[in-house]
Each structure stands twice: as structure tokens, then as C-alpha cells.
Amino acid sequence: MKTSALTIGIILLARLVKVDGRRGTTEISETLELYKTDAKYTALLKEINSTYHGRPHNTANNLEFEKYFQTVLSGLNLTVYDIADKIDIYTDFTVYNQIRLELEREISKTIQVAKNLLSLKNLLPHCRTFFMDQQVQMAASISQSNLMKMEILNNPSPECENVELNQITFLETTTTTTTPKPINYDSIFRDILQKYSKRPWGNLKYLEFDEQIWQVFMALNTDDKIYKKETLIGFMGYDKDREKLDKALAVRIGKFKKIIANETDSNCKGNLLYLNKRLSLAMFETLEKKRKILVITNYIHSCVKHEEHLKIVDKINKT
Ligand SMILES: *[C@@H]1O[C@H](CO)[C@@H](O)[C@H](O)[C@H]1NC(C)=O
Ligand SMILES: *[C@@H]1O[C@H](CO)[C@@H](O)[C@H](O)[C@H]1NC(C)=O
Ligand SMILES: *[C@@H]1O[C@H](CO)[C@@H](O)[C@H](O)[C@H]1NC(C)=O
């Protein structure tokens, strides 16, 4: 286009020069023609100036745009004899600006697509990263040269762009299960207190368990979330162990009752009864004592060596 504009200019100038030699009517009409052309391009350049004077539509801070705009201003300073340059300036600016506008339309389309895809909860993580980076790059490229814009637009991700949606997302069901509900500690604490409000062991003292229940009660009356969480974890761990040991104690007591029922030796029966009483009392003792009595009574199936076991049991109970 530069060449064609230049050619027009040269032809016009050539005619002017030729006309200079032999003055006549053609000279006047061609000179008029020149002035008309100049007026037309001056008007076009002025229009560009008034449209972009305030740097609207993404044209601010664009060095390349600035360069072309300044040539438009300098074009407005040219005389009628520089009509060829004027046409060049107009053509260059218009071509540059049309390409710029086209690229910017393409950029804003790409940004919109990325925005829509980023709103999907189940977008694959590496595609999420790609589209987030792309948005930033696209937004920054607005003030860059047309060449840079083209380069950024032609930097696709074969994995994340121009592929079916199901190739860049994972199944929705997996996302719904990954969002855990916040734990309502107070409601759990109230359930625990409710569950143990009527102690199955009546009037018997159960110091270690009472201590644990007291911790729960205290945690219910605090605002400290971390303290609530730690107390809950502590209590759940303790109560799980306690339940297991109490179950084992109950099973052991049942076994002993059967042995006792079959025992004919009264002395031996007395010892077995004593051990069984120990097992029952262990229900309200510490986890440590529950474990010890279970270990000691593990191998007792008859009266053999009961005396020795009784000594050990007593020793444990005294510590
Ligand atoms: C360019 O446009 C502005 C705003 O319309 C105007 O003030 C200024 O005089 C114009 N410049 C030229 C060289 O026409
Ligand atoms: C236009 O000409 C005037 C006076 O000659 C000058 O001051 C001004 O800088 C010129 N503008 C451009 C854009 O060349
Ligand atoms: C109790 O004695 C009966 C008969 O003597 C026997 O069949 C049963 O196995 C014994 N039970 C235990 C728990 O030792």
C-alpha cells in the first residue's frame, strides 16, 4: 500500500511538473485535483487525531500506537506538495490500526473463554494454571506491539485449548466429596455429655473417666477452636480405648463366672471370686489398670497357681 500511495503522489507530481512547462487549462484542473486530494487526506488525518487524541480504546501506553499517532500529527504539518507522504502516513496508520483492532478483538475473546473455563470448579489443575497465566499475558499484551500480540495469541496449549470440555475437566462427583463440612464441636460435645449423663455404673467413683468428661464440659464453654479440637481428639481416643478394654473385661468376667460355677474346691473358688471382683472393679479404674488385670487373668482356667496370681494382683492394686 505504501508503494501505491507513493505512486499516486509521483504521478501527481509528475503531472504538476509537466504542466509547469506548457501552461493551459489542464494545469488548472490538475492543480485543483491535487488540492482536493490534499484536503481529503488532511481531513482523514484530522479525523484520526480527533478520534485518538484522548487515547481511548486500549491505545494508552502503547508505544507502537504512539509512534504511528505521532506520524499522523507530523502529517498534518505537511504541505500540499508532500501529498504522497500524507497518503503514506494515512495508509500506514490505518493498516496498523485495523490489525491492532482485530488482534485486540481476538485477545478479548480469548480472555472471555479463559474466564468462563476458570469458573468451572472441576477444571484440571494444569489447565487452570494455563488459563490463569494466559489471562495475565493477554491483558498485558494489550499495550504491546501487534507482533507481540500475534505471538501471544499463537501460543496455544494443545492439552487445554481447542479440545473437548471433558478432556480438561474431571467428574463433578469427586469435587462434591472433597469439600468437607465444618465440624460443629459444641454439638458433638453436647452429644457426649448427653450420652454419659446417666453413668451406667451408678454411684461408683470413676475418677479417670470423670476427669475426661470434665475436659469435655470445659471445652464446651470455651471459644478456643484449637482447644475444642484437641479436647475432642483426646476424648475420642480415650473413650475408644476404654470401650475396648471394658468389653474385654466383661468377656473375661463372663468366663470366670462359668469357671467359678464349675469349681468344687471352696478355697480355690474363693480365689476365683476374688479375681472376678478385681475384674469388675477394674471397670472403673484407669486404662492402665484395666490392661494389667486383663494380662494377669489371661491364662487362668483352673485353680492351679492361683495363689501366685493373687499376690501379683494385690501388688498391682497397691501401686
Ligand atoms: C488534534 O485534536 C485535538 C483534540 O480534538 C485538537 O485540540 C488538536 O488541535 C488537534 N491537532 C491537530 C494538529 O489538528
Ligand atoms: C508542526 O509544526 C510546528 C511549527 O512548525 C511545530 O512546532 C510542531 O512541532 C510540528 N508538529 C509535528 C507533530 O511535527
Ligand atoms: C463345667 O462342667 C461341665 C461338666 O462337668 C463341663 O461340661 C463344662 O465344660 C464345664 N465348663 C467350664 C467352663 O469349664
PDB file of all heavy atoms in Angstrom, residues 70 73-74 77, ligand 2:
ATOM      1  N   GLN A  70       2.021   9.807  16.260  1.00  0.00           N
ATOM      2  CA  GLN A  70       2.890  10.980  16.086  1.00  0.00           C
ATOM      3  C   GLN A  70       3.141  11.275  14.607  1.00  0.00           C
ATOM      4  O   GLN A  70       3.236  12.438  14.206  1.00  0.00           O
ATOM      5  CB  GLN A  70       4.220  10.793  16.832  1.00  0.00           C
ATOM      6  CG  GLN A  70       4.115  10.859  18.363  1.00  0.00           C
ATOM      7  CD  GLN A  70       3.403  12.109  18.880  1.00  0.00           C
ATOM      8  OE1 GLN A  70       3.574  13.220  18.335  1.00  0.00           O
ATOM      9  NE2 GLN A  70       2.578  11.935  19.914  1.00  0.00           N
ATOM     10  N   LEU A  73       0.275  13.249  13.345  1.00  0.00           N
ATOM     11  CA  LEU A  73       0.416  14.671  13.709  1.00  0.00           C
ATOM     12  C   LEU A  73       1.406  15.376  12.788  1.00  0.00           C
ATOM     13  O   LEU A  73       1.155  16.504  12.328  1.00  0.00           O
ATOM     14  CB  LEU A  73       0.849  14.825  15.168  1.00  0.00           C
ATOM     15  CG  LEU A  73      -0.176  14.476  16.244  1.00  0.00           C
ATOM     16  CD1 LEU A  73       0.382  14.787  17.630  1.00  0.00           C
ATOM     17  CD2 LEU A  73      -1.497  15.220  16.021  1.00  0.00           C
ATOM     18  N   SER A  74       2.521  14.700  12.522  1.00  0.00           N
ATOM     19  CA  SER A  74       3.502  15.322  11.628  1.00  0.00           C
ATOM     20  C   SER A  74       2.936  15.433  10.212  1.00  0.00           C
ATOM     21  O   SER A  74       3.244  16.389   9.481  1.00  0.00           O
ATOM     22  CB  SER A  74       4.826  14.547  11.644  1.00  0.00           C
ATOM     23  OG  SER A  74       4.669  13.297  11.006  1.00  0.00           O
ATOM     24  N   ASN A  77       1.174  18.531   9.504  1.00  0.00           N
ATOM     25  CA  ASN A  77       2.044  19.706   9.317  1.00  0.00           C
ATOM     26  C   ASN A  77       2.551  19.834   7.884  1.00  0.00           C
ATOM     27  O   ASN A  77       3.142  20.850   7.542  1.00  0.00           O
ATOM     28  CB  ASN A  77       3.266  19.580  10.252  1.00  0.00           C
ATOM     29  CG  ASN A  77       3.138  20.470  11.472  1.00  0.00           C
ATOM     30  OD1 ASN A  77       2.118  21.123  11.651  1.00  0.00           O
ATOM     31  ND2 ASN A  77       4.179  20.502  12.285  1.00  0.00           N
TER      32      ASN A  77
HETATM   33  C1  LIG B   2       4.274  21.116  13.368  1.00  0.00           C
HETATM   34  O1  LIG B   2       4.909  22.328  13.034  1.00  0.00           O
HETATM   35  C2  LIG B   2       5.055  23.180  14.132  1.00  0.00           C
HETATM   36  C3  LIG B   2       5.594  24.522  13.613  1.00  0.00           C
HETATM   37  O2  LIG B   2       6.450  24.325  12.536  1.00  0.00           O
HETATM   38  C4  LIG B   2       5.973  22.552  15.151  1.00  0.00           C
HETATM   39  O3  LIG B   2       6.116  23.392  16.261  1.00  0.00           O
HETATM   40  C5  LIG B   2       5.398  21.236  15.588  1.00  0.00           C
HETATM   41  O4  LIG B   2       6.267  20.567  16.469  1.00  0.00           O
HETATM   42  C6  LIG B   2       5.118  20.350  14.378  1.00  0.00           C
HETATM   43  N1  LIG B   2       4.435  19.165  14.807  1.00  0.00           N
HETATM   44  C7  LIG B   2       4.785  17.951  14.451  1.00  0.00           C
HETATM   45  C8  LIG B   2       3.997  16.889  15.026  1.00  0.00           C
HETATM   46  O5  LIG B   2       5.670  17.718  13.705  1.00  0.00           O
END
